[in-house]
Amino acid sequence: MRGGVLGILWQLLRGVGYLALYVLLISGTDFVLFNLGWCFIYLGFLLFLPIATPIVVQLLLGFLTGITLDIFFDTGGVHAAATVLLMYLRPWVLRLLTPRDGYDTQDSVNIHQMGWQWMVVYLAMLTAIHHAAFFLLELGSFQVPGITLAKIVVSTLYTGLTLLIIQLIFFPTRRRSR
Protein backbone atom coordinates (compact mmCIF):
# COMPACT_ATOMS: atom_id res chain seq x y z
CA MET A 1 0.00 0.00 0.00
CA ARG A 2 2.86 2.38 -0.63
CA GLY A 3 1.98 4.16 -3.83
CA GLY A 4 -0.77 4.88 -6.24
CA VAL A 5 -4.44 5.18 -5.53
CA LEU A 6 -4.39 2.66 -2.69
CA GLY A 7 -1.64 4.59 -0.91
CA ILE A 8 -3.52 7.87 -1.22
CA LEU A 9 -6.76 6.29 -0.02
CA TRP A 10 -4.92 4.73 2.91
CA GLN A 11 -3.44 8.09 3.93
CA LEU A 12 -6.85 9.80 3.66
CA LEU A 13 -8.44 7.06 5.76
CA ARG A 14 -5.69 7.50 8.37
CA GLY A 15 -6.29 11.25 8.39
CA VAL A 16 -10.02 10.84 8.93
CA GLY A 17 -9.30 8.32 11.69
CA TYR A 18 -6.93 10.65 13.54
CA LEU A 19 -9.35 13.58 13.24
CA ALA A 20 -12.34 11.51 14.34
CA LEU A 21 -10.42 10.12 17.30
CA TYR A 22 -9.39 13.61 18.39
CA VAL A 23 -12.76 15.30 17.84
CA LEU A 24 -14.95 12.54 19.28
CA LEU A 25 -12.82 11.24 22.13
CA ILE A 26 -9.64 13.02 23.09
CA SER A 27 -10.62 16.69 22.79
CA GLY A 28 -12.74 16.54 25.95
CA THR A 29 -11.53 17.48 29.40
CA ASP A 30 -10.98 13.84 30.39
CA PHE A 31 -7.63 13.74 28.59
CA VAL A 32 -6.19 17.04 29.85
CA LEU A 33 -3.29 16.78 32.31
CA PHE A 34 -3.60 19.24 35.21
CA ASN A 35 -5.13 21.85 32.89
CA LEU A 36 -1.66 22.20 31.32
CA GLY A 37 -1.22 19.29 28.91
CA TRP A 38 -3.34 18.61 25.85
CA CYS A 39 -2.83 15.64 23.56
CA PHE A 40 -3.09 16.79 19.96
CA ILE A 41 -3.19 13.27 18.54
CA TYR A 42 -4.23 14.49 15.10
CA LEU A 43 -0.61 15.56 14.58
CA GLY A 44 0.16 11.88 14.03
CA PHE A 45 -1.53 12.06 10.65
CA LEU A 46 0.63 14.98 9.56
CA LEU A 47 3.90 13.89 11.13
CA PHE A 48 3.71 10.30 9.89
CA LEU A 49 3.10 11.16 6.24
CA PRO A 50 5.57 9.54 3.82
CA ILE A 51 8.84 11.42 3.49
CA ALA A 52 8.44 11.82 -0.29
CA THR A 53 5.12 13.69 0.07
CA PRO A 54 5.37 16.91 -1.97
CA ILE A 55 5.48 20.17 0.03
CA VAL A 56 2.34 21.52 -1.63
CA VAL A 57 0.40 18.43 -0.60
CA GLN A 58 1.80 18.71 2.93
CA LEU A 59 0.74 22.35 3.22
CA LEU A 60 -2.71 21.58 1.84
CA LEU A 61 -3.20 18.65 4.22
CA GLY A 62 -1.98 20.79 7.13
CA PHE A 63 -4.44 23.53 6.26
CA LEU A 64 -7.36 21.13 5.74
CA THR A 65 -6.63 19.37 9.02
CA GLY A 66 -6.33 22.64 10.93
CA ILE A 67 -9.38 24.31 9.39
CA THR A 68 -11.47 21.20 10.07
CA LEU A 69 -10.57 21.43 13.75
CA ASP A 70 -11.18 25.17 13.75
CA ILE A 71 -14.66 24.57 12.38
CA PHE A 72 -15.43 21.93 15.02
CA PHE A 73 -14.06 23.91 17.96
CA ASP A 74 -14.67 27.50 16.75
CA THR A 75 -11.05 28.49 17.33
CA GLY A 76 -10.75 31.10 14.60
CA GLY A 77 -7.85 29.68 12.60
CA VAL A 78 -5.48 28.84 15.45
CA HIS A 79 -5.28 25.15 14.51
CA ALA A 80 -4.91 25.98 10.81
CA ALA A 81 -2.08 28.44 11.40
CA ALA A 82 -0.18 26.05 13.68
CA THR A 83 -0.57 23.03 11.37
CA VAL A 84 0.45 24.98 8.25
CA LEU A 85 3.56 26.22 10.09
CA LEU A 86 4.26 22.63 11.16
CA MET A 87 3.98 21.33 7.62
CA TYR A 88 6.05 24.21 6.24
CA LEU A 89 8.93 23.39 8.61
CA ARG A 90 8.66 19.58 8.33
CA PRO A 91 10.85 19.25 5.18
CA TRP A 92 13.56 21.37 6.83
CA VAL A 93 13.52 19.21 9.95
CA LEU A 94 13.64 16.08 7.76
CA ARG A 95 16.63 17.57 5.91
CA LEU A 96 18.29 18.39 9.23
CA LEU A 97 17.80 14.82 10.45
CA THR A 98 18.78 13.09 7.20
CA PRO A 99 20.67 9.86 7.90
CA ARG A 100 24.21 9.48 6.58
CA ASP A 101 22.97 7.27 3.71
CA GLY A 102 20.01 9.56 2.98
CA TYR A 103 16.38 8.57 2.74
CA ASP A 104 15.03 5.97 0.36
CA THR A 105 12.08 6.94 -1.78
CA GLN A 106 9.90 4.38 -0.02
CA ASP A 107 10.91 5.49 3.50
CA SER A 108 8.17 6.58 5.82
CA VAL A 109 8.34 8.22 9.21
CA ASN A 110 8.44 5.04 11.23
CA ILE A 111 10.20 4.32 14.51
CA HIS A 112 11.10 0.82 13.31
CA GLN A 113 12.82 2.16 10.18
CA MET A 114 14.43 5.30 11.56
CA GLY A 115 15.19 4.28 15.13
CA TRP A 116 14.38 5.64 18.57
CA GLN A 117 16.74 8.58 18.62
CA TRP A 118 15.69 9.87 15.23
CA MET A 119 11.99 9.55 16.07
CA VAL A 120 12.26 11.21 19.49
CA VAL A 121 14.18 14.19 18.07
CA TYR A 122 11.80 14.47 15.09
CA LEU A 123 8.68 14.36 17.27
CA ALA A 124 10.11 16.70 19.91
CA MET A 125 11.15 19.36 17.41
CA LEU A 126 8.01 19.43 15.32
CA THR A 127 5.56 18.95 18.17
CA ALA A 128 7.22 21.75 20.15
CA ILE A 129 7.02 24.06 17.12
CA HIS A 130 3.34 23.28 16.64
CA HIS A 131 2.50 23.69 20.31
CA ALA A 132 4.45 26.94 20.67
CA ALA A 133 2.61 28.42 17.70
CA PHE A 134 -0.74 27.09 18.89
CA PHE A 135 -0.54 28.28 22.49
CA LEU A 136 0.97 31.67 21.61
CA LEU A 137 -1.75 32.27 19.02
CA GLU A 138 -4.43 31.01 21.39
CA LEU A 139 -3.33 33.39 24.14
CA GLY A 140 -2.86 36.28 21.74
CA SER A 141 0.14 37.62 23.60
CA PHE A 142 2.94 36.58 25.91
CA GLN A 143 1.36 38.04 29.07
CA VAL A 144 1.69 34.92 31.20
CA PRO A 145 5.00 33.39 30.09
CA GLY A 146 5.23 30.77 32.85
CA ILE A 147 1.84 29.20 32.17
CA THR A 148 2.32 29.40 28.41
CA LEU A 149 5.74 27.75 28.60
CA ALA A 150 4.35 25.06 30.94
CA LYS A 151 1.52 24.35 28.49
CA ILE A 152 3.97 24.07 25.61
CA VAL A 153 6.35 21.73 27.46
CA VAL A 154 3.73 19.49 29.10
CA SER A 155 1.64 19.25 25.92
CA THR A 156 4.73 18.48 23.83
CA LEU A 157 5.72 15.65 26.18
CA TYR A 158 2.15 14.32 26.36
CA THR A 159 1.56 14.41 22.59
CA GLY A 160 5.05 13.08 21.81
CA LEU A 161 4.71 10.14 24.19
CA THR A 162 1.26 9.32 22.82
CA LEU A 163 2.54 9.40 19.23
CA LEU A 164 5.49 7.17 20.16
CA ILE A 165 3.08 4.64 21.67
CA ILE A 166 0.96 4.78 18.51
CA GLN A 167 4.09 4.14 16.43
CA LEU A 168 5.01 1.11 18.53
CA ILE A 169 1.53 -0.39 18.49
CA PHE A 170 0.16 0.33 15.02
CA PHE A 171 3.09 0.72 12.64
CA PRO A 172 4.71 -2.34 11.05
CA THR A 173 8.04 -3.59 12.43
CA ARG A 174 9.49 -4.18 8.96
CA ARG A 175 13.02 -2.75 8.82
CA ARG A 176 14.62 -1.36 5.69
CA SER A 177 17.27 -3.47 4.02
CA ARG A 178 20.58 -1.62 3.59
Side-chain angles (χ1 to χ4, degrees):
M1 275 198 235
R2 287 205 183 266
V5 176
L6 285 177
I8 293 169
L9 289 175
W10 173 247
Q11 293 300 328
L12 290 176
L13 183 64
R14 266 187 354 103
V16 169
Y18 275 108
L19 284 172
L21 183 64
Y22 180 74
V23 168
L24 298 174
L25 181 66
I26 295 180
S27 65
T29 57
D30 294 337
F31 288 94
V32 176
L33 294 177
F34 311 112
N35 208 23
L36 287 176
W38 282 263
C39 183
F40 295 123
I41 197 170
Y42 67 87
L43 292 179
F45 165 60
L46 299 172
L47 294 175
F48 302 152
L49 284 171
I51 291 174
T53 305
I55 183 69
V56 174
V57 174
Q58 290 182 49
L59 291 171
L60 185 62
L61 288 174
F63 177 74
L64 291 174
T65 301
I67 202 72
T68 301
L69 293 171
D70 287 328
I71 290 169
F72 273 105
F73 299 114
D74 194 26
T75 51
V78 175
H79 284 282
T83 54
V84 168
L85 176 66
L86 170 78
M87 296 314 287
Y88 178 73
L89 295 176
R90 181 180 182 254
W92 289 352
V93 171
L94 284 171
R95 214 170 300 129
L96 179 70
L97 299 176
T98 301
R100 182 180 43 186
D101 299 335
Y103 297 114
D104 286 337
T105 55
Q106 71 269 14
D107 277 348
S108 63
V109 177
N110 186 326
I111 193 168
H112 303 295
Q113 287 182 352
M114 300 299 181
W116 276 93
Q117 291 175 337
W118 187 94
M119 183 60 76
V120 168
V121 171
Y122 173 79
L123 285 176
M125 288 176 70
L126 288 173
T127 306
I129 289 167
H130 172 272
H131 289 9
F134 179 83
F135 288 117
L136 289 173
L137 287 171
E138 179 189 49
L139 186 59
S141 69
F142 207 65
Q143 293 176 353
V144 189
I147 298 292
T148 305
L149 187 60
K151 283 182 178 182
I152 292 168
V153 170
V154 173
S155 295
T156 298
L157 292 172
Y158 188 16
T159 303
L161 184 62
T162 303
L163 293 177
L164 277 174
I165 292 169
I166 287 171
Q167 278 276 322
L168 289 172
I169 293 174
F170 294 110
F171 280 70
T173 60
R174 197 171 354 113
R175 294 196 179 267
R176 60 182 169 183
S177 57
R178 282 197 179 176

